Amino acid sequence: MSAIKTENLTKIFGHVEAVKSIDLEVEKGQIVGLVGPDGAGKTTFLRLLAGLLMPSEGSIIVDGIEVIKAPLRVKQRIGYMPQQFSLYGDLTVSENLKFFADLYRVPERKYGERKEELLSFSQLAPFQGRLARNLSGGMQKKLALACNLFHSPAVLLLDEPTTGVDPVSRKELWQLLYQLNDQGATILLTTPYMDEAQKCHQVGLVYEGRLLIYQSPQRLIEEMPGEIIELIIEKDIDREMLQSMPGLKYVYPFGETLHLVFIEGKHGEQEVRKLSEKHGIGIKRVQRIRPSFEDVFFSLVQEQTGAPVP
Ligand SMILES: Nc1ncnc2c1ncn2[C@@H]1O[C@H](COP(=O)(O)OP(=O)(O)OP(=O)(O)O)[C@@H](O)[C@H]1O
Ligand SMILES: [Mg+2]
């Protein structure tokens, strides 16, 4: 039995088709990452799975429960962490935990032990008395996660659980996710960070409400068509000039460099150098590189939008 299964899942808000006919099947014990541009429908999709929104069409099964028939029952099986702040800033760490324990109807006799477990898991024990609003961003995310674990959910739906926190806290949060996954939790999360998507067992690309790709990041990288040449450029260059290069599929900024994706086997580094010189493009270095997941993501999105130069 899969942990999550949706068929033809669709949600329409007025004129906006936020989620369009998504079929997704997530095996138990997997960590799945959803990526996609702003407004692609990721949050709406998670809210549908969590039983917080009713779909316009389609079916959803989460941990064996038909969500549309039993939206309340599913809440006992999932931990849902919304994208927006879900804590009470003027309550302490302890009080926030108590609030969520009551929400999840944790019996009083079990509460103390579970609270200690969660404080230790999230490394928040020394801060129990601190107001949530006075915690760092990373600690707030850890607390929000802990608050949703009282009932040891089988499926975690985490909407951008690491957005806006520093790299060290991001790493720590991922360690917590790995721990939960080791204990058997299936995790579906959204992330704007490509390095995080690459850590997932499977990654889904959501674009304009559709699930365009669902694949392991390794396979996506292996199967990326075309070759990537990285240009380390001297100054701002005229993108239109680049566009006239024969065989060029996409160009996108990559940190301080530009990545050019050429049709496979079309160009060598020397040729790109010559072409750049011919077009008066000042470059410091040209090198063929192995694609990263970020390259795959940009290429896929550009393929969809059909725009060769952003
Ligand atoms: N309650 C709502 N009423 C009307 N439109 C909505 C509602 N919720 C979402 N939308 C619209 O649905 C689309 C998808 O939004 P959603 O928040 O799911 O995207 P997202 O992928 O999570 O974006 P982001 O990366 O910015 O978080 C957007 O066009 C949004 O404006
Ligand atoms: Mg969102």
Side-chain angles (χ1 to χ4, degrees), residues 8-302:
N8 184 34
L9 188 59
T10 301
K11 179 69 188 179
I12 303 171
F13 296 110
H15 300 296
V16 181
E17 265 191 277
V19 170
K20 293 181 199 166
S21 191
I22 291 189
D23 295 325
L24 173 74
E25 190 161 0
V26 177
E27 281 170 41
K28 272 192 182 167
Q30 293 233 301
I31 302 181
V32 172
L34 295 182
V35 295
D38 289 352
K42 306 175 296 292
T43 295
T44 307
F45 185 66
L46 288 196
R47 297 185 70 208
L48 287 164
L49 295 184
L52 296 167
L53 280 177
M54 276 291 134
S56 309
E57 266 185 71
S59 63
I60 315 164
I61 296 177
V62 173
D63 199 35
I65 297 173
E66 282 188 59
V67 175
I68 299 167
K69 285 193 189 149
L72 291 177
R73 247 179 79 210
V74 83
K75 291 193 180 59
Q76 292 297 323
R77 308 289 186 93
I78 59 163
Y80 171 65
M81 191 169 147
Q83 187 172 351
Q84 255 83 40
F85 203 63
S86 64
L87 299 169
Y88 290 89
D90 51 359
L91 295 185
T92 64
V93 168
S94 269
E95 288 164 345
N96 268 286
L97 285 166
K98 178 75 177 118
F99 180 87
F100 278 83
D102 290 344
L103 213 65
Y104 286 117
R105 296 167 201 258
V106 178
E108 202 59 41
R109 64 195 155 74
K110 285 197 177 159
Y111 169 71
E113 194 186 334
R114 187 72 182 132
K115 178 187 160 189
E116 291 311 315
E117 278 172 15
L118 290 173
L119 280 171
S120 130
F121 163 80
S122 58
Q123 295 155 338
L124 286 171
F127 309 100
Q128 332 187 15
R130 193 179 286 188
L131 292 182
R133 67 162 174 263
N134 295 335
L135 296 172
S136 71
M139 285 186 194
Q140 287 178 349
K141 293 278 190 186
K142 284 182 204 161
L143 177 58
L145 180 63
C147 282
N148 284 292
L149 297 175
F150 263 105
H151 53 313
S152 307
V155 175
L156 294 176
L157 305 172
L158 312 176
D159 203 354
E160 302 201 13
T162 62
T163 299
V165 306
D166 67 78
V168 174
S169 303
R170 271 219 284 148
K171 214 170 189 173
E172 287 170 0
L173 273 157
W174 267 89
Q175 274 155 6
L176 299 184
L177 299 185
Y178 285 136
Q179 269 187 53
L180 293 164
N181 184 241
D182 279 346
Q183 292 158 14
T186 305
I187 302 177
L188 177 62
L189 58 89
T190 64
T191 177
Y193 304 113
M194 295 303 134
D195 61 319
E196 292 190 348
Q198 200 163 349
K199 287 182 182 160
C200 298
H201 299 122
Q202 301 283 322
V203 56
L205 171 66
V206 183
Y207 187 80
E208 292 184 350
R210 293 188 188 279
L211 181 68
L212 295 181
I213 306 248
Y214 187 64
Q215 186 63 272
S216 77
Q218 287 70 25
R219 270 204 55 197
L220 278 173
I221 292 174
E222 280 162 25
E223 291 175 2
M224 177 170 168
E227 56 187 345
I228 297 192
I229 308 269
E230 185 174 64
L231 290 188
I232 300 170
I233 40 188
E234 265 170 10
K235 52 181 173 12
D236 275 353
I237 60 163
D238 184 350
R239 297 273 182 86
E240 275 179 24
M241 283 288 208
L242 279 179
Q243 219 167 357
S244 63
M245 276 190 183
L248 180 66
K249 278 168 74 183
Y250 317 116
V251 183
Y252 41 81
F254 201 93
E256 295 295 294
T257 71
L258 277 187
H259 281 190
L260 279 61
V261 182
F262 285 95
I263 294 163
E264 207 142 21
K266 191 85 182 164
H267 287 282
E269 287 144 72
Q270 285 312 318
E271 261 183 285
V272 171
R273 181 175 285 285
K274 271 192 216 143
L275 277 167
S276 312
E277 281 166 8
K278 191 173 140 202
H279 288 90
I281 296 165
I283 49 175
K284 274 194 208 151
R285 204 143 54 90
V286 186
Q287 56 189 4
R288 189 194 302 251
I289 55 163
R290 289 166 65 88
S292 66
F293 185 74
E294 201 159 345
D295 288 304
V296 175
F297 174 77
F298 280 121
S299 300
L300 290 171
V301 169
Q302 291 204 355

